[in-house]
Amino acid sequence: MISGILLQVTQITKKFRNLIAVNKVSFDLHRGEILGLIGPNGAGKTTLFNVLSGMYVPEDGEIFFKGRNITGMRPHKICKLGISRTFQVTKAFSHMTVEGAVRVGAYNRKSENEVKEKTEETISFFKLGNIRHWKCEDLGLVQLKRLEIARAVATEPELLLLDEAAAGLTSAELSELMELLKTLRDERHITLCVVEHVMQMVMGLCERIIVLDYGELIARGTPDQISQNERVIEAYLGKRFSR
Ligand SMILES: Nc1ncnc2c1ncn2[C@@H]1O[C@H](COP(=O)(O)OP(=O)(O)OP(=O)(O)O)[C@@H](O)[C@H]1O
Ligand SMILES: [Mg+2]
């Protein structure tokens, strides 16, 4: 499954005035893997996603995607190259219908006449057919989260960055989400980077995990290694996840 480096992040630093939100972070993401990115509130996870997807330009460091330097590229260009992301708080499409939001994703790569086909295929794959005419603002949490992933997948990414896709889901909904993400990786060959506080998802889904704390990468390893790492337990997990 794992073959080659898809994303290489070297020494990325992003500051907000005096606050160093991401501090010299380096890591690789292998093609076909599911990488977890965890850490306490305010650790810099979303900021790192914002840098990777081009919303913020880092003060320092470089990002290579498929061997190409994408540091400082505009978001739409990065998306066209094959990186898509979901948002922690979904607001952007509130007045649109479900179908409209999916179509926005499909427009990223497809010519006009292919958009309809991609939209239909995505609606069907994500089982959104019965709510396709609903306004996004009328959706429940689970539907909204599914749509958010559908919109991102409609752009046909090679790398999908998921920001807290599991927050607020019940245990059954969580299992369904994990199955969906495995399917995206196994059948659509989408590499995943998952920011998540829900440890059941992180430990059950990810092959490797990296940990941020105050903007710094403090640990990297397998779920087993991370759950036993003293520094991670101290900074984030607490005793309940240590074995
Ligand atoms: N646009 C911004 N302007 C100023 N400070 C910001 C901005 N965005 C984030 N920060 C700060 O940067 C730090 C990292 O925030 P970030 O949202 O990346 O954390 P996070 O790891 O995603 O946290 P959470 O788990 O709560 O989502 C925090 O101290 C936050 O207050
Ligand atoms: Mg966040």
Side-chain angles (χ1 to χ4, degrees):
M1 176 59 68
I2 290 173
S3 55
I5 291 172
L6 183 64
L7 183 83
Q8 194 169 27
V9 175
T10 54
Q11 297 285 304
I12 285 293
T13 296
K14 174 65 198 156
K15 298 176 189 167
F16 298 109
R17 295 176 187 269
N18 293 328
L19 176 84
I20 306 176
V22 177
N23 194 359
K24 295 188 180 134
V25 168
S26 302
F27 67 95
D28 293 339
L29 192 44
H30 301 269
R31 203 178 272 279
E33 81 171 330
I34 306 181
L35 179 77
L37 169 54
I38 65 171
N41 296 119
K45 305 179 296 295
T46 298
T47 303
L48 183 56
F49 269 14
N50 285 333
V51 172
L52 298 181
S53 57
M55 289 176 72
Y56 295 149
V57 178
E59 277 76 28
D60 202 4
E62 286 182 319
I63 306 156
F64 288 85
F65 179 61
K66 295 187 281 186
R68 182 169 174 178
N69 192 339
I70 61 163
T71 323
M73 255 185 208
R74 307 291 303 156
H76 71 275
K77 261 191 112 176
I78 291 178
C79 191
K80 274 213 184 321
L81 284 175
I83 300 180
S84 190
R85 56 90 57 90
T86 67
F87 289 87
Q88 189 169 351
V89 182
T90 312
K91 283 191 193 139
F93 301 102
S94 55
H95 296 300
M96 262 186 200
T97 62
V98 166
E99 185 182 324
V102 172
R103 195 179 301 118
V104 169
Y107 267 113
N108 179 55
R109 299 195 141 240
K110 300 281 166 181
S111 63
E112 199 78 28
N113 53 356
E114 288 171 308
V115 168
K116 193 167 180 341
E117 198 181 322
K118 187 74 211 169
T119 303
E120 291 308 316
E121 185 265 318
T122 306
I123 285 174
S124 160
F125 181 83
F126 285 90
K127 301 186 179 76
L128 296 167
N130 57 339
I131 56 167
R132 65 187 298 153
H133 300 304
W134 290 27
K135 286 258 176 68
C136 296
E137 62 195 0
D138 295 329
L139 299 180
L141 180 75
V142 181
Q143 293 165 325
L144 202 54
K145 297 232 171 219
R146 187 139 38 97
L147 172 61
E148 180 64 359
I149 298 171
R151 184 197 52 74
V153 169
T155 69
E156 299 192 334
E158 286 174 69
L159 170 59
L160 178 58
L161 311 172
L162 292 149
D163 200 350
E164 300 203 25
L169 300 187
T170 65
S171 168
E173 291 159 355
L174 185 62
S175 302
E176 210 174 303
L177 174 65
M178 286 167 69
E179 279 310 307
L180 171 69
L181 297 182
K182 276 184 199 154
T183 304
L184 291 178
R185 194 275 298 273
D186 294 342
E187 292 176 15
R188 301 210 165 196
H189 312 293
I190 299 175
T191 302
L192 300 173
C193 182
V194 175
V195 161
E196 199 52 70
H197 286 292
V198 177
M199 282 306 115
Q200 193 186 334
M201 168 123 145
V202 177
M203 298 297 173
L205 191 70
C206 301
E207 286 125 6
R208 261 187 336 125
I209 297 171
I210 58 176
V211 188
L212 285 186
D213 187 31
Y214 292 108
E216 284 183 36
L217 203 153
I218 61 163
R220 62 183 93 215
T222 63
D224 265 356
Q225 289 166 340
I226 291 298
S227 61
Q228 291 168 42
N229 182 301
E230 284 302 325
R231 202 163 164 203
V232 179
I233 292 168
E234 184 75 23
Y236 180 53
L237 291 180
K239 292 293 173 199
R240 77 203 148 105
F241 286 103
S242 59
R243 293 179 192 163

